[in-house]
Amino acid sequence: MKKKMLVIFCCFCFLLLKLSGNIVQAEKGEDEPTNLYARSAVLMDADSGRILFGKDERRKLPMASTTKIMTCILVLEQMQEDQKASVSDYAVCQPKVRLGVKKKEQFYVNDLLYSLMLESHNDSAVVLAEAIAGTVEEFADLMNEKAKKLGCQNTHFVTPNGLDGEDEDGIHETTAEDLARIMRYCIMESEEREKFLEITQTKDYSFSNVAGDRTFTCHNHNVFLSMMEGALSGKTGFTSEAGYCYVGALRRDGRTFIVSLLACGWPNNKDYKWKDTRRLMEYGLEHYHYQKVEKKVEKIPVRILEARDERQPFLHNSVLLAEATESRDFKILLKQGEEVEVKIVKEKKLYAPVRRGQKVGTVRYRLNGETIHSTDLIASESIQKRDLGWCFEILMKKICF
């Protein structure tokens, strides 16, 4: 009887532990994504540029052909209408994957952009780079210049196609954070964003060289476009050094998310990047929704030294009221439990004169310690500087009247 009771008790304890383990796992699943294959990953809100989730997001790693989103947007922004490009010896000798261009052959730049983004042809990338900048090295300079303008502090471009490379300034590398930032520029900020989306969303594209004696057909290999509702754009990449990489965007219910993945498996794990992309996109869709931030700022008193104030002429300072240039509500993607705080930053000392509309501080809206929105604090009136002449005039008025 005692043995039977002991067995029943042990079974009960086992079931309890199993159940509690499931509960813990369920609770963990409600938080940030875990067990990602990628060594470095980011989920970004494309509207604000805020990082919603990061895994080692500032780790520098090679990015393979995801490089080509920068190549594409630079060419789109600098190409001429109906511009032609000639093939060099260097372009011909590029390794697979390649279009198969021939020396001195000519193509329309616009056509090669589809070869670049749909099939990820390495020779097409070189032809495009040389058409825009003259040499691959000079085009890399343009890429690095653009990256710095976008705030990419941990990115260095050497090649236009993403093949592993190195120069005197370092190796060809980026971070998941910077890669997401570049994609955000391509689809949200660039004047050529609509054309970029048109190219990257195209399923099939056929074209000929300028002579018309050779025809080519490109097929889009971005599986993500048919994998999730609202899939917007994306680019795959692979080298033996970088592993499988991916950067993609999704737009649904007024929300736009970007996922970037670096070092997301090696052969034979080609599908890891799709699993990670889905996991991060679903996390964003489930947990982040637009919420109205009702944080109106009332007029703030600011002390002004050496000010004229006829109401209190014998005081050496005055108080003006400052107001925010924007005091309206705004919307932001928030997760349950997140709350926006308002911080007023103003000068400790301000001296007259102060003109109406002059900036006297800043209103910062902060989330998790980071500023997500800011607006100027401006003077709502003008205040002149007191001087001996004004003081004498006030004294005379007091004596005479």
Side-chain angles (χ1 to χ4, degrees):
M1 184 67 180
K2 288 183 178 180
K3 280 188 176 182
K4 187 175 182 181
M5 291 297 293
L6 183 61
V7 171
I8 293 173
F9 177 75
C10 289
C11 291
F12 174 76
C13 290
F14 175 78
L15 290 172
L16 185 62
L17 287 171
K18 185 72 175 175
L19 179 61
S20 63
N22 289 337
I23 291 172
V24 170
Q25 185 64 35
E27 289 176 350
K28 192 174 183 180
E30 291 174 1
D31 295 327
E32 294 184 340
T34 57
N35 301 321
L36 293 174
Y37 295 108
R39 291 181 181 175
S40 180
V42 152
L43 172 68
M44 173 185 280
D45 168 26
D47 287 311
S48 67
R50 185 164 68 98
I51 303 298
L52 306 178
F53 169 83
K55 175 188 175 182
D56 211 1
E57 65 271 24
R58 294 183 180 176
R59 180 180 181 181
K60 294 181 181 180
L61 292 166
M63 61 289 210
S65 285
T66 59
T67 296
K68 293 183 172 92
I69 66 171
M70 176 64 94
T71 301
C72 181
I73 203 65
L74 277 178
V75 173
L76 283 172
E77 291 178 344
Q78 301 202 24
M79 64 185 281
Q80 304 297 315
E81 187 175 358
D82 295 327
Q83 183 176 348
K84 299 174 184 177
S86 297
V87 177
S88 68
D89 288 339
Y90 184 61
V92 171
C93 70
Q94 292 303 297
K96 293 182 178 180
V97 176
R98 57 178 177 257
L99 179 64
V101 297
K102 296 180 180 180
K103 183 180 177 181
K104 296 184 179 180
E105 192 174 19
Q106 284 195 319
F107 292 87
Y108 287 104
V109 168
N110 182 71
D111 290 333
L112 290 182
L113 287 172
Y114 290 87
S115 167
L116 178 81
M117 299 304 287
L118 273 58
E119 293 282 358
S120 201
H121 290 140
N122 292 319
D123 51 356
S124 295
V126 171
V127 176
L128 289 168
E130 293 175 339
I132 297 299
T135 67
V136 164
E137 291 76 16
E138 289 175 348
F139 189 79
D141 289 339
L142 294 179
M143 299 172 83
N144 288 315
E145 181 181 343
K146 175 66 79 173
K148 288 180 180 177
K149 286 182 180 179
L150 298 182
C152 300
Q153 301 299 320
N154 298 302
T155 294
H156 181 62
F157 289 106
V158 179
T159 65
N161 46 28
L163 293 173
D164 299 325
E166 185 175 0
D167 60 18
E168 63 275 9
D169 295 318
I171 64 173
H172 189 85
E173 63 185 358
T174 189
T175 65
E177 181 179 25
D178 282 357
L179 184 58
R181 188 174 284 116
I182 295 168
M183 176 58 97
R184 178 174 182 251
Y185 175 77
C186 291
I187 68 171
M188 304 293 289
E189 298 178 326
S190 172
E191 292 183 358
E192 298 298 330
R193 58 188 179 276
E194 294 301 327
K195 182 63 176 178
F196 179 89
L197 288 173
E198 177 188 322
I199 292 171
T200 57
Q201 291 172 356
T202 299
K203 291 183 178 180
D204 302 289
Y205 186 82
S206 296
F207 63 96
S208 301
N209 59 10
V210 172
D213 54 9
R214 289 212 298 158
T215 302
F216 308 85
T217 299
C218 298
H219 306 284
N220 199 326
H221 295 276
N222 183 7
V223 174
F224 178 62
L225 290 178
S226 59
M227 191 172 79
M228 293 187 72
E229 177 190 348
L232 193 63
S233 181
K235 184 70 189 76
T236 58
F238 174 80
T239 66
S240 58
E241 182 70 21
Y244 291 111
C245 303
Y246 185 68
V247 59
L250 177 145
R251 182 172 291 156
R252 192 189 297 180
D253 301 328
R255 298 166 294 169
T256 305
F257 297 101
I258 293 172
V259 164
S260 61
L261 307 167
L262 297 176
C264 194
W266 273 259
N268 295 309
N269 297 306
K270 193 173 184 178
D271 291 337
Y272 280 2
K273 62 182 179 290
W274 305 128
K275 293 177 181 179
D276 278 3
T277 299
R278 180 184 289 277
R279 190 175 301 170
L280 288 170
M281 288 298 189
E282 288 179 345
Y283 169 75
L285 290 167
E286 180 181 354
H287 292 279
Y288 284 91
H289 302 274
Y290 275 105
Q291 298 180 36
K292 181 186 282 188
V293 177
E294 298 178 346
K295 298 285 186 180
K296 291 187 177 180
V297 178
E298 302 298 332
K299 290 189 176 181
I300 307 297
V302 180
R303 189 182 180 202
I304 309 297
L305 303 180
E306 299 181 6
R308 294 185 185 184
D309 190 344
E310 294 189 5
R311 296 164 297 184
Q312 303 179 80
F314 300 110
L315 295 179
H316 293 273
N317 59 70
S318 181
V319 175
L320 64 75
L321 295 178
E323 57 190 358
T325 51
E326 297 177 18
S327 191
R328 61 179 184 271
D329 302 335
F330 63 94
K331 291 183 178 181
I332 186 171
L333 279 184
L334 293 176
K335 188 169 62 172
Q336 186 176 3
E338 289 185 323
E339 186 173 347
V340 176
E341 63 174 350
V342 177
K343 184 176 182 180
I344 307 295
V345 181
K346 59 183 181 180
E347 297 289 343
K348 293 181 179 179
K349 291 183 179 180
L350 277 175
Y351 291 87
V354 174
R355 67 183 183 279
R356 182 180 179 183
Q358 178 180 328
K359 181 180 177 180
V360 295
T362 306
V363 182
R364 294 177 182 169
Y365 298 86
R366 297 173 63 81
L367 178 64
N368 299 326
E370 294 187 5
T371 300
I372 57 171
H373 183 74
S374 64
T375 183
D376 290 342
L377 196 64
I378 61 171
S380 56
E381 59 179 310
S382 295
I383 294 183
Q384 295 180 315
K385 179 181 175 68
R386 65 186 291 131
D387 53 28
L388 288 176
W390 180 82
C391 292
F392 181 76
E393 182 181 334
I394 292 296
L395 184 59
M396 287 294 92
K397 286 182 181 180
K398 293 292 183 182
I399 294 173
C400 297
F401 300 97

